[in-house]
Amino acid sequence: MNDVYELVTVIVSPEAFAAALRIATPLVLAALGGLFAETGGVPDIALEGKLLAGALGAVVGGYFAERAGFGAGAAFGVALASAAACGVALSMVLAALAVGLRADAILAGLAATMLAQGATRLACSCLFESESNTPTIASLAVSTPASWAWVKDQGLPRWVEVALLSHGPLTYLALALVPACHVVLRHTPFGLALVAAGGNEKAARAAGISLAWTRTGGLVFAGALAGLGGAALAVSVQQFATDMSAGRGYIALAALVLARGRAWGVLAATLAFALPEALAGDAKRIFAFPEELALALPYLVTLALLAVAGARWRS
Amino acid sequence: MRAVLGGVLALVCALLAGAVLIALVPTLASWGTGEPVVPVSPWAAYRATFGGVLGTREGVSWAVYHAGALVLTALAVAIPLRAGLFNIGGEGQLLLGGLAGTAAALGLAGVVGPAPAPLAMVVLVGASAVAAAAAGAAWGALAAAFTRPGRGANEVIASLLLNFVAAGACQYVVKHHLLDAHSGVVQTPSIPLAARLGRLAAVPGLERVFDPNTPVTWALPAALVAAVAVAYAFARTRWGYELRATGANPDAARAAGIGPRRVAVSSLAIGGACAGLASLALVHGHYGHYGAHVFAGQYGFLGLATALLGRGHPLGVVPAALLFGVLFQGASEITLETSLPASIVLILQALAITAVVAAGALLAPRGRG
């Protein structure tokens, strides 16, 4: 009984909420990217590859910007731009195959993911002489609002500082992008063209919408957002490691299934996936849960939610 | 014929693109290290990869050893693919199959101990094969539970996520229930010798083809038989017809009374059984025990690549598996002979698949789109 009590205090703690937000950040960014691609009618199976490409892109961008003598802030900006560019580059491979040549989108996505897995590993070993990981890039470490002097002076409650102000810029960017993506998709000509291209090809074409360009545009957004998601992965450990995405691109896809095409749904679904992972460490400690199974927990939770949602829609 | 020609052309394009990339690698490396560029000739790299493997009996033997396992993990993808389903959970099905097969061999070792040797071999290998196939099939069928006919590719997500669950579960079982305490590594005790697969080099005459010191076992002909059997089943059985009909037009198949759920479960389960059986080539054919290092080659994921290269045809995966077997083995040759990193092989594989997907789309019959 004490165990359960302890777990409840952990669940409602600001630390757990903060950890969930941190874990959800790359998932939110990748899933929002996937939302653009899927809305346009091209399911983006390559999110996993884009996370990897973005993570390596951030590290390479930060590394070369540091070497060129950029300041920490500027180097961080270069890292983000480079991450987004790497994501977009992979998206263009997908666009060439799935939109240009009209290949099966899933086949094209799997091929693009394999290209990203090979290319990131190759680039990592060429540039940093290690197949497994890069050195730590100092400019990827950024301060959080909670550490700023004037925020400390405000005397805010501890839970505000821990839960809301302890994050890096990418978490706030991801949160801001949720309403932004909703507006772009539902209230701009480009977003509505995407919706039409994904919903009814004939009607879209009759309205004078170019399917190919619209879908390619959707994939550009997908690449940039998922690339930033990769940057969030790299920023969290300040380095790139081979296959560091560890299936998160597919978890983001599962979030998209649950979100059913809505940006707000993406945020809710990714937080639902992230909270158990945030608690896994504490659960392991409190219940003496075996470590191997704790590592599988995020995937199990995702599968369980996917199954529950699927069963509900079938009935 | 068009498809085969297109595939060969695609491979040539991929090798040319790979050559350009190989030529660029030294420049990339010099950016990182700041040292002067040491050029690498793509021709020398390809000669090291293909010549180094195909030029010796040992190299050929290792390549076909990899290919044997890859044929089975590729069938795990090719069978559901015929019904329009993507199984990227081959790795998890392979891991679970391997654990079940190892557990069966270890568990029955004491039971059949005093039996005459040939009988013990049949019982141990047979029981291991049944256990491995059943575990792989169960995991494949689990992925099928997530399919939503006509509504997106949920099985892609589910089958991939199940890989991580299987990896965690297998590691847990090995560490806490089947650990060989003497080895110092997280692995099971060795399975009895009677459970090991016989080597083809022991067959008179074949020792000139296969190196006796390499693990080319009866798993290889078994994998080829499986590929032919699947091709036959696709073409000539009711089950194969139901798969093809569902893959070609799910709505028409459903209207004709073919249950989409039954097709999904049966194709993913039989695919999973193939992936599970592939573990026998590794555990019973080579290592003799189960541990994470046995599966470090990621044959499950490579099987996906192999199946895509073989365009999902059960006989197409055989040449694709041979090519990837050579590349797999060539990765070590290439690092010995040139200054290139082993990961160049991953890029070559990915380029080959990209080219084949592109060629497939270019050659596909076009409707009004």
Short mmCIF file of all heavy atoms in Angstrom, two decimals, chain A residues 125-182:
data_model
loop_
_atom_site.label_atom_id
_atom_site.label_comp_id
_atom_site.label_asym_id
_atom_site.label_seq_id
_atom_site.Cartn_x
_atom_site.Cartn_y
_atom_site.Cartn_z
N SER A 125 30.55 8.27 -38.91
CA SER A 125 31.87 7.65 -38.87
C SER A 125 32.88 8.44 -39.69
O SER A 125 34.07 8.45 -39.37
CB SER A 125 31.80 6.19 -39.32
OG SER A 125 31.23 6.11 -40.59
N CYS A 126 32.43 9.10 -40.77
CA CYS A 126 33.37 9.90 -41.57
C CYS A 126 33.81 11.15 -40.81
O CYS A 126 34.99 11.46 -40.74
CB CYS A 126 32.71 10.34 -42.88
SG CYS A 126 32.66 9.05 -44.11
N LEU A 127 32.84 11.87 -40.26
CA LEU A 127 33.15 13.17 -39.67
C LEU A 127 33.75 13.04 -38.27
O LEU A 127 34.57 13.85 -37.87
CB LEU A 127 31.89 14.04 -39.61
CG LEU A 127 31.34 14.52 -40.94
CD1 LEU A 127 29.97 15.16 -40.75
CD2 LEU A 127 32.29 15.52 -41.57
N PHE A 128 33.31 12.02 -37.53
CA PHE A 128 33.71 11.96 -36.12
C PHE A 128 34.47 10.67 -35.79
O PHE A 128 34.73 10.39 -34.64
CB PHE A 128 32.49 12.10 -35.22
CG PHE A 128 31.70 13.36 -35.47
CD1 PHE A 128 30.53 13.32 -36.19
CD2 PHE A 128 32.16 14.57 -35.02
CE1 PHE A 128 29.81 14.48 -36.44
CE2 PHE A 128 31.46 15.74 -35.26
CZ PHE A 128 30.28 15.70 -35.98
N GLU A 129 34.79 9.89 -36.82
CA GLU A 129 35.60 8.68 -36.68
C GLU A 129 35.04 7.71 -35.64
O GLU A 129 35.79 7.07 -34.91
CB GLU A 129 37.05 9.04 -36.34
CG GLU A 129 37.72 9.77 -37.48
CD GLU A 129 39.14 10.18 -37.18
OE1 GLU A 129 39.36 10.70 -36.07
OE2 GLU A 129 40.00 9.96 -38.03
N SER A 130 33.71 7.64 -35.53
CA SER A 130 33.10 6.64 -34.66
C SER A 130 31.77 6.24 -35.28
O SER A 130 30.99 7.11 -35.69
CB SER A 130 32.87 7.22 -33.26
OG SER A 130 31.84 6.49 -32.62
N GLU A 131 31.52 4.94 -35.38
CA GLU A 131 30.27 4.48 -35.96
C GLU A 131 29.11 4.65 -35.00
O GLU A 131 27.96 4.64 -35.40
CB GLU A 131 30.37 3.00 -36.36
CG GLU A 131 31.21 2.75 -37.58
CD GLU A 131 30.42 2.18 -38.74
OE1 GLU A 131 29.48 1.41 -38.50
OE2 GLU A 131 30.76 2.51 -39.88
N SER A 132 29.41 4.77 -33.70
CA SER A 132 28.33 4.69 -32.73
C SER A 132 27.85 6.05 -32.25
O SER A 132 26.66 6.26 -32.10
CB SER A 132 28.76 3.85 -31.54
OG SER A 132 29.90 4.42 -30.95
N ASN A 133 28.73 7.01 -32.01
CA ASN A 133 28.25 8.29 -31.51
C ASN A 133 29.25 9.41 -31.78
O ASN A 133 30.43 9.16 -32.03
CB ASN A 133 27.92 8.22 -30.02
CG ASN A 133 29.11 7.81 -29.22
OD1 ASN A 133 29.44 6.64 -29.16
ND2 ASN A 133 29.80 8.76 -28.63
N THR A 134 28.74 10.64 -31.71
CA THR A 134 29.59 11.81 -31.92
C THR A 134 30.07 12.32 -30.57
O THR A 134 29.54 11.91 -29.53
CB THR A 134 28.79 12.94 -32.58
OG1 THR A 134 27.79 13.38 -31.66
CG2 THR A 134 28.12 12.46 -33.86
N PRO A 135 31.08 13.20 -30.57
CA PRO A 135 31.44 13.83 -29.29
C PRO A 135 30.32 14.75 -28.82
O PRO A 135 29.38 15.04 -29.57
CB PRO A 135 32.70 14.62 -29.63
CG PRO A 135 32.69 14.78 -31.11
CD PRO A 135 31.96 13.60 -31.66
N THR A 136 30.41 15.21 -27.59
CA THR A 136 29.40 16.13 -27.06
C THR A 136 29.60 17.51 -27.67
O THR A 136 30.72 18.00 -27.78
CB THR A 136 29.55 16.21 -25.53
OG1 THR A 136 29.53 14.88 -25.03
CG2 THR A 136 28.41 16.98 -24.92
N ILE A 137 28.50 18.11 -28.11
CA ILE A 137 28.55 19.44 -28.73
C ILE A 137 28.06 20.44 -27.69
O ILE A 137 26.88 20.45 -27.33
CB ILE A 137 27.67 19.49 -29.98
CG1 ILE A 137 28.01 18.35 -30.94
CG2 ILE A 137 27.78 20.85 -30.67
CD1 ILE A 137 29.38 18.42 -31.55
N ALA A 138 28.97 21.28 -27.20
CA ALA A 138 28.63 22.17 -26.08
C ALA A 138 27.52 23.14 -26.44
O ALA A 138 26.67 23.46 -25.61
CB ALA A 138 29.88 22.94 -25.64
N SER A 139 27.48 23.61 -27.71
CA SER A 139 26.51 24.66 -28.05
C SER A 139 25.09 24.13 -28.08
O SER A 139 24.14 24.91 -28.17
CB SER A 139 26.86 25.27 -29.41
OG SER A 139 26.87 24.28 -30.40
N LEU A 140 24.90 22.80 -28.01
CA LEU A 140 23.55 22.27 -27.99
C LEU A 140 22.93 22.36 -26.59
O LEU A 140 21.74 22.16 -26.41
CB LEU A 140 23.53 20.81 -28.46
CG LEU A 140 23.82 20.58 -29.95
CD1 LEU A 140 23.64 19.12 -30.30
CD2 LEU A 140 22.93 21.44 -30.82
N ALA A 141 23.77 22.65 -25.59
CA ALA A 141 23.24 22.84 -24.24
C ALA A 141 22.74 24.27 -24.13
O ALA A 141 23.47 25.20 -24.42
CB ALA A 141 24.33 22.58 -23.22
N VAL A 142 21.47 24.43 -23.77
CA VAL A 142 20.93 25.79 -23.67
C VAL A 142 20.31 25.97 -22.30
O VAL A 142 19.88 25.00 -21.67
CB VAL A 142 19.86 26.05 -24.75
CG1 VAL A 142 20.54 26.34 -26.07
CG2 VAL A 142 18.92 24.91 -24.85
N SER A 143 20.26 27.22 -21.87
CA SER A 143 19.73 27.48 -20.54
C SER A 143 18.21 27.40 -20.57
O SER A 143 17.57 27.61 -21.61
CB SER A 143 20.17 28.87 -20.06
OG SER A 143 19.55 29.85 -20.87
N THR A 144 17.62 27.10 -19.42
CA THR A 144 16.17 27.06 -19.30
C THR A 144 15.72 28.31 -18.57
O THR A 144 16.51 28.91 -17.82
CB THR A 144 15.74 25.83 -18.50
OG1 THR A 144 16.31 25.94 -17.21
CG2 THR A 144 16.22 24.55 -19.16
N PRO A 145 14.46 28.73 -18.79
CA PRO A 145 13.99 29.95 -18.11
C PRO A 145 14.18 29.89 -16.61
O PRO A 145 14.46 30.92 -15.98
CB PRO A 145 12.51 29.99 -18.49
CG PRO A 145 12.41 29.22 -19.75
CD PRO A 145 13.47 28.16 -19.69
N ALA A 146 14.07 28.68 -16.02
CA ALA A 146 14.17 28.57 -14.57
C ALA A 146 15.54 29.01 -14.07
O ALA A 146 15.69 29.37 -12.90
CB ALA A 146 13.88 27.14 -14.14
N SER A 147 16.56 28.98 -14.95
CA SER A 147 17.90 29.33 -14.50
C SER A 147 18.22 30.80 -14.72
O SER A 147 19.29 31.25 -14.36
CB SER A 147 18.93 28.46 -15.23
OG SER A 147 18.91 28.76 -16.61
N TRP A 148 17.29 31.56 -15.37
CA TRP A 148 17.57 32.97 -15.60
C TRP A 148 17.43 33.74 -14.29
O TRP A 148 16.52 33.48 -13.49
CB TRP A 148 16.60 33.55 -16.63
CG TRP A 148 16.70 32.90 -17.98
CD1 TRP A 148 17.73 32.13 -18.43
CD2 TRP A 148 15.74 32.95 -19.04
NE1 TRP A 148 17.48 31.69 -19.71
CE2 TRP A 148 16.27 32.17 -20.12
CE3 TRP A 148 14.50 33.56 -19.20
CZ2 TRP A 148 15.59 32.01 -21.32
CZ3 TRP A 148 13.84 33.40 -20.40
CH2 TRP A 148 14.37 32.63 -21.45
N ALA A 149 18.31 34.73 -14.12
CA ALA A 149 18.35 35.45 -12.84
C ALA A 149 17.02 36.14 -12.54
O ALA A 149 16.48 36.03 -11.44
CB ALA A 149 19.49 36.47 -12.87
N TRP A 150 16.45 36.83 -13.55
CA TRP A 150 15.24 37.61 -13.24
C TRP A 150 14.04 36.72 -12.97
O TRP A 150 13.12 37.10 -12.25
CB TRP A 150 14.95 38.64 -14.32
CG TRP A 150 14.46 38.12 -15.65
CD1 TRP A 150 15.25 37.82 -16.71
CD2 TRP A 150 13.11 37.85 -16.05
NE1 TRP A 150 14.48 37.37 -17.75
CE2 TRP A 150 13.17 37.38 -17.38
CE3 TRP A 150 11.86 37.96 -15.40
CZ2 TRP A 150 12.03 37.01 -18.07
CZ3 TRP A 150 10.74 37.59 -16.11
CH2 TRP A 150 10.82 37.12 -17.43
N VAL A 151 14.05 35.49 -13.51
CA VAL A 151 12.96 34.56 -13.19
C VAL A 151 13.12 34.08 -11.75
O VAL A 151 12.16 34.00 -10.99
CB VAL A 151 12.95 33.38 -14.17
CG1 VAL A 151 11.94 32.33 -13.72
CG2 VAL A 151 12.63 33.85 -15.58
N LYS A 152 14.37 33.82 -11.37
CA LYS A 152 14.61 33.36 -9.99
C LYS A 152 14.16 34.41 -8.98
O LYS A 152 13.66 34.09 -7.91
CB LYS A 152 16.11 33.07 -9.80
CG LYS A 152 16.53 31.72 -10.35
CD LYS A 152 17.98 31.44 -10.02
CE LYS A 152 18.38 30.05 -10.46
NZ LYS A 152 19.84 29.92 -10.60
N ASP A 153 14.36 35.69 -9.36
CA ASP A 153 14.00 36.78 -8.45
C ASP A 153 12.50 36.90 -8.22
O ASP A 153 12.07 37.53 -7.25
CB ASP A 153 14.53 38.12 -8.99
CG ASP A 153 16.05 38.14 -8.99
OD1 ASP A 153 16.63 37.30 -8.26
OD2 ASP A 153 16.64 38.95 -9.71
N GLN A 154 11.69 36.33 -9.13
CA GLN A 154 10.24 36.50 -9.00
C GLN A 154 9.68 35.75 -7.80
O GLN A 154 8.56 36.03 -7.38
CB GLN A 154 9.51 35.99 -10.26
CG GLN A 154 9.96 36.64 -11.55
CD GLN A 154 9.78 38.14 -11.54
OE1 GLN A 154 8.72 38.64 -11.18
NE2 GLN A 154 10.82 38.87 -11.91
N GLY A 155 10.39 34.77 -7.28
CA GLY A 155 9.87 33.98 -6.16
C GLY A 155 8.64 33.19 -6.53
O GLY A 155 7.65 33.14 -5.80
N LEU A 156 8.67 32.55 -7.72
CA LEU A 156 7.53 31.75 -8.17
C LEU A 156 7.42 30.47 -7.36
O LEU A 156 8.43 30.02 -6.79
CB LEU A 156 7.70 31.39 -9.65
CG LEU A 156 7.62 32.57 -10.63
CD1 LEU A 156 8.16 32.17 -11.98
CD2 LEU A 156 6.19 33.06 -10.74
N PRO A 157 6.22 29.88 -7.28
CA PRO A 157 6.10 28.58 -6.60
C PRO A 157 7.01 27.55 -7.27
O PRO A 157 7.25 27.63 -8.48
CB PRO A 157 4.63 28.20 -6.77
CG PRO A 157 3.95 29.38 -7.37
CD PRO A 157 4.95 30.35 -7.84
N ARG A 158 7.45 26.58 -6.49
CA ARG A 158 8.41 25.61 -7.01
C ARG A 158 7.82 24.82 -8.17
O ARG A 158 8.49 24.52 -9.14
CB ARG A 158 8.84 24.65 -5.90
CG ARG A 158 10.14 23.92 -6.22
CD ARG A 158 10.45 22.88 -5.17
NE ARG A 158 9.62 21.70 -5.32
CZ ARG A 158 9.98 20.64 -6.06
NH1 ARG A 158 11.13 20.62 -6.66
NH2 ARG A 158 9.17 19.61 -6.17
N TRP A 159 6.50 24.46 -8.08
CA TRP A 159 5.95 23.61 -9.14
C TRP A 159 5.92 24.33 -10.47
O TRP A 159 6.06 23.73 -11.52
CB TRP A 159 4.57 23.07 -8.76
CG TRP A 159 3.47 24.10 -8.70
CD1 TRP A 159 3.06 24.79 -7.61
CD2 TRP A 159 2.65 24.54 -9.79
NE1 TRP A 159 2.05 25.65 -7.94
CE2 TRP A 159 1.77 25.51 -9.27
CE3 TRP A 159 2.58 24.20 -11.14
CZ2 TRP A 159 0.82 26.16 -10.06
CZ3 TRP A 159 1.63 24.85 -11.92
CH2 TRP A 159 0.77 25.82 -11.39
N VAL A 160 5.76 25.67 -10.44
CA VAL A 160 5.79 26.42 -11.70
C VAL A 160 7.19 26.32 -12.31
O VAL A 160 7.35 26.04 -13.50
CB VAL A 160 5.40 27.89 -11.47
CG1 VAL A 160 5.61 28.70 -12.75
CG2 VAL A 160 3.96 27.98 -11.01
N GLU A 161 8.19 26.54 -11.47
CA GLU A 161 9.56 26.49 -11.97
C GLU A 161 9.88 25.12 -12.54
O GLU A 161 10.46 25.00 -13.61
CB GLU A 161 10.54 26.83 -10.84
CG GLU A 161 10.66 28.31 -10.60
CD GLU A 161 11.86 28.66 -9.73
OE1 GLU A 161 12.70 27.76 -9.51
OE2 GLU A 161 11.94 29.81 -9.28
N VAL A 162 9.53 24.06 -11.80
CA VAL A 162 9.92 22.71 -12.22
C VAL A 162 9.10 22.25 -13.42
O VAL A 162 9.63 21.78 -14.42
CB VAL A 162 9.76 21.72 -11.04
CG1 VAL A 162 9.99 20.30 -11.52
CG2 VAL A 162 10.72 22.08 -9.93
N ALA A 163 7.78 22.42 -13.33
CA ALA A 163 6.93 21.83 -14.36
C ALA A 163 6.91 22.66 -15.64
O ALA A 163 6.86 22.11 -16.73
CB ALA A 163 5.50 21.67 -13.83
N LEU A 164 6.96 23.98 -15.50
CA LEU A 164 6.74 24.83 -16.68
C LEU A 164 7.97 25.56 -17.17
O LEU A 164 8.08 25.87 -18.35
CB LEU A 164 5.64 25.86 -16.37
CG LEU A 164 4.29 25.27 -15.95
CD1 LEU A 164 3.31 26.39 -15.63
CD2 LEU A 164 3.74 24.36 -17.04
N LEU A 165 8.92 25.86 -16.29
CA LEU A 165 10.02 26.74 -16.70
C LEU A 165 11.36 26.01 -16.80
O LEU A 165 12.39 26.64 -16.96
CB LEU A 165 10.15 27.91 -15.70
CG LEU A 165 8.92 28.83 -15.64
CD1 LEU A 165 9.12 29.92 -14.59
CD2 LEU A 165 8.66 29.45 -17.00
N SER A 166 11.35 24.68 -16.73
CA SER A 166 12.62 23.95 -16.71
C SER A 166 12.96 23.36 -18.08
O SER A 166 13.71 22.41 -18.17
CB SER A 166 12.56 22.84 -15.67
OG SER A 166 11.60 21.88 -16.08
N HIS A 167 12.38 23.91 -19.16
CA HIS A 167 12.55 23.27 -20.47
C HIS A 167 13.43 24.10 -21.40
O HIS A 167 13.58 25.30 -21.22
CB HIS A 167 11.19 23.06 -21.11
CG HIS A 167 10.30 22.20 -20.29
ND1 HIS A 167 10.48 20.85 -20.17
CD2 HIS A 167 9.24 22.50 -19.51
CE1 HIS A 167 9.56 20.35 -19.36
NE2 HIS A 167 8.80 21.34 -18.93
N GLY A 168 13.97 23.40 -22.39
CA GLY A 168 14.74 24.07 -23.43
C GLY A 168 13.81 24.71 -24.45
O GLY A 168 12.60 24.47 -24.43
N PRO A 169 14.38 25.50 -25.35
CA PRO A 169 13.54 26.24 -26.31
C PRO A 169 12.71 25.33 -27.21
O PRO A 169 11.61 25.72 -27.62
CB PRO A 169 14.56 27.03 -27.13
CG PRO A 169 15.88 26.46 -26.83
CD PRO A 169 15.80 25.82 -25.48
N LEU A 170 13.21 24.12 -27.51
CA LEU A 170 12.47 23.28 -28.46
C LEU A 170 11.15 22.81 -27.89
O LEU A 170 10.18 22.61 -28.61
CB LEU A 170 13.33 22.09 -28.89
CG LEU A 170 14.34 22.44 -29.98
CD1 LEU A 170 15.39 21.35 -30.13
CD2 LEU A 170 13.64 22.69 -31.30
N THR A 171 11.10 22.61 -26.56
CA THR A 171 9.83 22.21 -25.94
C THR A 171 8.79 23.32 -26.09
O THR A 171 7.64 23.07 -26.46
CB THR A 171 10.05 21.88 -24.46
OG1 THR A 171 11.00 20.83 -24.37
CG2 THR A 171 8.76 21.45 -23.79
N TYR A 172 9.22 24.57 -25.82
CA TYR A 172 8.27 25.69 -25.98
C TYR A 172 7.88 25.85 -27.44
O TYR A 172 6.73 26.15 -27.76
CB TYR A 172 8.88 26.98 -25.42
CG TYR A 172 9.21 26.85 -23.95
CD1 TYR A 172 10.52 26.86 -23.50
CD2 TYR A 172 8.19 26.64 -23.03
CE1 TYR A 172 10.82 26.70 -22.16
CE2 TYR A 172 8.47 26.48 -21.69
CZ TYR A 172 9.78 26.51 -21.26
OH TYR A 172 10.07 26.32 -19.94
N LEU A 173 8.87 25.64 -28.35
CA LEU A 173 8.57 25.72 -29.78
C LEU A 173 7.52 24.68 -30.15
O LEU A 173 6.54 24.98 -30.84
CB LEU A 173 9.85 25.50 -30.59
CG LEU A 173 9.68 25.55 -32.11
CD1 LEU A 173 9.32 26.95 -32.55
CD2 LEU A 173 10.95 25.08 -32.82
N ALA A 174 7.71 23.45 -29.65
CA ALA A 174 6.77 22.38 -29.98
C ALA A 174 5.37 22.73 -29.48
O ALA A 174 4.38 22.56 -30.20
CB ALA A 174 7.24 21.06 -29.36
N LEU A 175 5.29 23.26 -28.25
CA LEU A 175 3.98 23.62 -27.70
C LEU A 175 3.34 24.74 -28.51
O LEU A 175 2.14 24.73 -28.77
CB LEU A 175 4.12 24.03 -26.24
CG LEU A 175 4.48 22.89 -25.29
CD1 LEU A 175 4.71 23.41 -23.87
CD2 LEU A 175 3.37 21.83 -25.28
N ALA A 176 4.17 25.71 -28.94
CA ALA A 176 3.62 26.83 -29.71
C ALA A 176 3.18 26.36 -31.09
O ALA A 176 2.25 26.93 -31.68
CB ALA A 176 4.67 27.93 -29.83
N LEU A 177 3.86 25.34 -31.61
CA LEU A 177 3.55 24.89 -32.97
C LEU A 177 2.23 24.13 -33.04
O LEU A 177 1.66 23.99 -34.12
CB LEU A 177 4.69 24.01 -33.51
CG LEU A 177 5.89 24.78 -34.05
CD1 LEU A 177 7.03 23.83 -34.37
CD2 LEU A 177 5.51 25.58 -35.29
N VAL A 178 1.75 23.63 -31.92
CA VAL A 178 0.49 22.88 -31.96
C VAL A 178 -0.66 23.76 -32.44
O VAL A 178 -1.29 23.45 -33.45
CB VAL A 178 0.19 22.23 -30.59
CG1 VAL A 178 -1.19 21.61 -30.59
CG2 VAL A 178 1.23 21.17 -30.28
N PRO A 179 -0.92 24.93 -31.78
CA PRO A 179 -1.98 25.80 -32.34
C PRO A 179 -1.59 26.36 -33.69
O PRO A 179 -2.45 26.52 -34.57
CB PRO A 179 -2.12 26.90 -31.28
CG PRO A 179 -0.89 26.83 -30.45
CD PRO A 179 -0.41 25.41 -30.49
N ALA A 180 -0.29 26.64 -33.90
CA ALA A 180 0.14 27.20 -35.18
C ALA A 180 -0.19 26.23 -36.32
O ALA A 180 -0.71 26.64 -37.36
CB ALA A 180 1.63 27.50 -35.14
N CYS A 181 0.10 24.96 -36.12
CA CYS A 181 -0.18 23.97 -37.17
C CYS A 181 -1.68 23.84 -37.39
O CYS A 181 -2.13 23.67 -38.53
CB CYS A 181 0.41 22.61 -36.79
SG CYS A 181 2.19 22.57 -36.94
N HIS A 182 -2.44 23.93 -36.29
CA HIS A 182 -3.89 23.85 -36.43
C HIS A 182 -4.38 24.98 -37.34
O HIS A 182 -5.17 24.76 -38.25
CB HIS A 182 -4.56 23.95 -35.05
CG HIS A 182 -6.05 23.98 -35.11
ND1 HIS A 182 -6.79 22.84 -35.27
CD2 HIS A 182 -6.91 25.02 -35.10
CE1 HIS A 182 -8.06 23.17 -35.33
NE2 HIS A 182 -8.17 24.48 -35.23
#
